[in-house]
């Protein structure tokens, strides 16, 4: 079964593809877009431009533009089917004139103008890790802009159960080291959110439950059995492996001036 189809089905009840609650998403966006509201002079007369690298079905972008008429958004994702579904949903919400989606490799995306806010939450794998993701954000970010980056870290040293679930010990580092790497790369955190156990549990139960429900509701679909198996394997890896070991941090970052770095 295609991994992209699995992901689309698994995120049906949790469109934010990361362990973040609706309240956490709203708070992060409020903080991230506050900088745009505080622009001075001519900068205030133009729209705030935001970009989501690895946008999936553009859940972050929809939440960013709704209720903010001065925000214009672009999203990039490799999966053309996901982008097509996202466009339909955006059009149904009447946001098609303010959200533009691109079906292409986010590593190759080029824009005519920089962005005030660049997001990449839960999609660092598309760039090969955290530091390459930060470099991609840097390329697209306007002077004084903000990056909203979400990635995993180890809450504790991974045990055998976590490794058996498909992780490698060097996939991530602890939270302190993760933030140190970001700072060393020339960024200053201005806000952050560490996903709680409750947020993780809601995300994982939604992921496995949505996929399982689809499989049970569509027993005649050729992918039904594989979907049910994938959900069961994921659930086992979570409950017997990385639960309370794998953490997730979402950071608002600004570029550190060269003279202070």
């Amino acid at each position: 079964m295609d991994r992209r189809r699995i992901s689309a089905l698994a995120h049906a009840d949790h469109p934010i593809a990361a362990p973040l609650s609706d309240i956490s998403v709203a708070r992060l966006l409020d903080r991230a877009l506050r900088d745009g509201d505080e622009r001075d002079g001519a900068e205030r007369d133009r729209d705030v431009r935001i970009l989501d690298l690895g946008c999936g079905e553009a859940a972050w972008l929809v939440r960013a533009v709704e209720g903010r008429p001065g925000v214009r958004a672009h999203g990039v994702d490799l999966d053309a089917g996901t982008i097509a579904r996202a466009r339909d949903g955006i059009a149904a919400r009447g946001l098609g004139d303010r959200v533009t989606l691109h079906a292409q490799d986010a590593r190759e995306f080029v824009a005519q103008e920089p962005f005030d806010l660049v997001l990449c939450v839960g999609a660092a794998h598309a760039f090969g890790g955290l530091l390459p993701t930060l470099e991609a954000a840097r390329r697209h970010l306007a002077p004084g802009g903000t990056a909203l980056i979400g990635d995993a870290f180890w809450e504790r040293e991974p045990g055998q159960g976590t490794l058996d679930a498909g992780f490698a010990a060097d996939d991530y580092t602890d939270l302190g080291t993760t933030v140190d790497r970001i700072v060393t790369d020339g960024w200053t955190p201005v806000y952050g959110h560490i996903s709680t156990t409750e947020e993780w549990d809601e995300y994982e139960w939604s992921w496995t439950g949505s996929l399982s429900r689809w499989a049970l509701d569509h027993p005649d679909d050729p992918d039904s059995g594989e979907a049910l198996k994938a959900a069961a394997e994921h659930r086992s890896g979570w409950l017997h492996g990385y639960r309370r070991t794998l953490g997730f941090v979402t950071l608002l970052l600004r570029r550190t001036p060269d003279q202070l770095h």
Side-chain angles (χ1 to χ4, degrees), residues 178-200:
T178 299
V179 174
D180 288 346
R181 292 174 66 200
I182 292 169
V183 171
T184 299
D185 196 51
W187 299 86
T188 297
V190 295
Y191 186 63
H193 173 76
I194 299 170
S195 295
T196 65
T197 300
E198 289 75 18
E199 285 176 307
W200 264 111

Side-chain angles (χ1 to χ4, degrees), residues 41 43 48 57 62 109 111 121 161 165 179 197 213 232 245 261:
E43 284 291 293
V48 174
E57 294 194 11
V62 167
F109 176 71
V121 181
V179 174
T197 300
R213 185 179 300 108
T245 295
H261 178 50

Side-chain angles (χ1 to χ4, degrees), residues 130 151-156 172-183 189 192-195 245 247-251:
L130 177 59
D151 200 17
F153 67 93
W154 292 131
E155 290 194 3
R156 59 181 180 177
Y172 307 106
T173 60
D174 62 86
L175 179 60
T177 303
T178 299
V179 174
D180 288 346
R181 292 174 66 200
I182 292 169
V183 171
H193 173 76
I194 299 170
S195 295
T245 295
F248 195 87
V249 61
T250 309
L251 296 167

Side-chain angles (χ1 to χ4, degrees), residues 7 16 19 24 29 33 53 60 67 109 126 144 162 165 205 227:
S7 180
I16 296 293
S24 297
L29 286 172
L33 292 168
L53 298 169
W60 281 94
F109 176 71
T162 300
W205 283 124

Side-chain angles (χ1 to χ4, degrees), residues 20 26 37 72 109 120 152 174 189 231 235:
L20 291 156
D37 293 338
R72 297 291 184 272
F109 176 71
C120 186
D174 62 86
R235 185 175 60 246

